[in-house]
Amino acid sequence: MAHHEVPDIYNRLWTPQHEPVLAVSSGDTISFDVRDAGDGQLEDYQNGTPVPASDPARSYPLRGPVMVHGAEPGDVLEIEPLEFAPLGWGFTASRPGAGLLPEDFSEPFAYKWDLSTGPTAAFLDVATVPVRPFLGVLACTPATVDPLPVMPPGNFGGNMDIRDLVVGTKIFLPVSLPGARLMFGDPHAAQGDGEVCVTAIEAPMSGALKVTLHKGRSIPSPQFQTAGQLRPGIEDQGYYATTGVGPDLHEAARNALRHMIEHMCFTYRIEPQEAYLLSSVIVDLKISEVVDKPNWIVSAYLPLSMMNL
């Protein structure tokens, strides 16, 4: 077992053509700093000012590829996060044409978070959000001929944005190429299930991972095992939930979110754009019912422990 520092090199596509930045063995650990998904373009943003135009070509800077000795297609690579620490600031933003409700929110809007004050971060005077950092993008490079963008995810993993891939969780990734070609990035300080406005608290981060290779085991898509309760302490004061009902799960999710935004605006006296961003960080979308066709139910859960009321 050995420890390695990941070199300060970034790539922005899934392709076998990237030059490897590091080679490790099963059981080794790696440490790194990783830029936010916007590559620092909102670091100087001030709340309440116009959202500056961004360069899409700079989006999703990823670390890697990290080669794993002995990894072959059909193997499984286990990733165990050991440490994640946001580096002082973060942002949540909506942009035209993106997110779950692009027709409802057609103008860009952003909120910059102060992550330098401890284990929580404030959203206006409305919510206090526990910091639960994780990597939004994590995968072994897929066996693709043509380069693939970081979005969307696939059966190989990638831009999964699963909020429970925190320290203590074990993540299992299918290996598609010799050496595995592990890549990762898109660090988040906190996120709700669904990441509904297309951003979480996007924040630069330092971290460390343990890499373990499993031979003789194959999986069709990423899997993970949590260490215990998903979010201890957050459920103590219960939830307020809204629902969306209909024959289309995507539209049911959109309606559940719309109803949650209406509730948050009425109850906490915030603007719809603010409620949309806050929902992306703390509201969880859940499939509540899929057996009574033709209608299904999606619920949006707001944890009351985070709300300042």
Side-chain angles (χ1 to χ4, degrees):
M1 294 176 59
H3 180 76
H4 310 266
E5 294 281 344
V6 179
D8 188 19
I9 299 171
Y10 288 90
N11 289 295
R12 289 175 170 81
L13 293 169
W14 297 112
T15 173
Q17 302 306 313
H18 291 317
E19 189 70 24
V21 302
L22 181 68
V24 304
S25 297
S26 180
D28 287 357
T29 58
I30 59 175
S31 59
F32 54 86
D33 287 346
V34 62
R35 300 172 191 165
D36 67 278
D39 198 15
Q41 294 182 79
L42 287 183
E43 184 172 5
D44 296 326
Y45 174 73
Q46 299 295 318
N47 288 327
T49 63
V51 180
S54 60
D55 180 1
R58 292 177 57 184
S59 296
Y60 293 111
L62 303 183
R63 290 295 206 181
V66 175
M67 306 296 284
V68 181
H69 294 303
E72 296 292 340
D75 293 341
V76 172
L77 195 66
E78 176 187 332
I79 304 298
E80 183 179 358
L82 302 176
E83 179 184 357
F84 289 142
L87 299 177
W89 69 280
F91 75 91
T92 305
S94 61
R95 63 176 186 266
L100 190 57
L101 301 177
E103 300 89 352
D104 301 44
F105 299 95
S106 59
E107 297 297 322
F109 189 74
Y111 182 82
K112 187 176 180 182
W113 300 77
D114 181 1
L115 302 176
S116 66
T117 58
T120 61
F123 185 86
L124 305 172
D125 59 353
V126 172
T128 303
V129 179
V131 173
R132 298 183 72 249
F134 68 98
L135 293 169
V137 174
L138 183 66
C140 300
T141 300
T144 178
V145 175
D146 297 322
L148 300 175
V150 176
M151 293 177 68
N155 284 328
F156 67 97
N159 191 21
M160 298 185 288
D161 294 321
I162 299 175
R163 65 138 204 231
D164 295 316
L165 305 188
V166 295
V167 170
T169 296
K170 294 181 179 181
I171 305 134
F172 302 93
L173 302 172
V175 174
S176 300
L177 294 168
R181 291 183 164 267
L182 175 69
M183 294 179 66
F184 55 89
D186 188 25
H188 295 169
Q191 183 200 289
D193 270 338
E195 197 189 25
V196 294
C197 82
V198 85
T199 57
I201 300 182
E202 310 289 332
M205 190 166 70
S206 63
L209 306 171
K210 182 179 179 181
V211 178
T212 303
L213 179 64
H214 295 279
K215 306 290 290 184
R217 177 189 178 191
S218 295
I219 56 176
S221 58
Q223 302 175 5
F224 59 96
Q225 178 179 327
T226 66
Q229 290 179 289
L230 294 183
R231 295 196 294 175
I234 290 176
E235 299 185 341
D236 294 355
Q237 296 182 37
Y239 291 85
Y240 189 93
T242 57
T243 62
V245 183
D248 183 285
L249 276 175
H250 187 259
E251 192 60 28
R254 286 159 55 90
N255 286 333
L257 175 59
R258 288 186 177 113
H259 303 157
M260 176 55 70
I261 289 171
E262 292 171 359
H263 166 74
M264 294 171 73
C265 290
F266 176 80
T267 304
Y268 303 103
R269 306 302 179 189
I270 57 177
E271 296 300 316
Q273 286 180 309
E274 295 168 338
Y276 188 35
L277 265 59
L278 184 57
S279 293
S280 198
V281 173
I282 68 173
V283 168
D284 296 324
L285 292 183
K286 300 177 182 289
I287 298 175
S288 295
E289 199 266 275
V290 289
V291 295
D292 291 335
K293 62 182 181 182
N295 289 340
W296 326 126
I297 299 177
V298 176
S299 300
Y301 283 70
L302 174 68
L304 298 179
S305 64
M306 298 189 195
M307 306 307 296
N308 303 332
L309 182 65

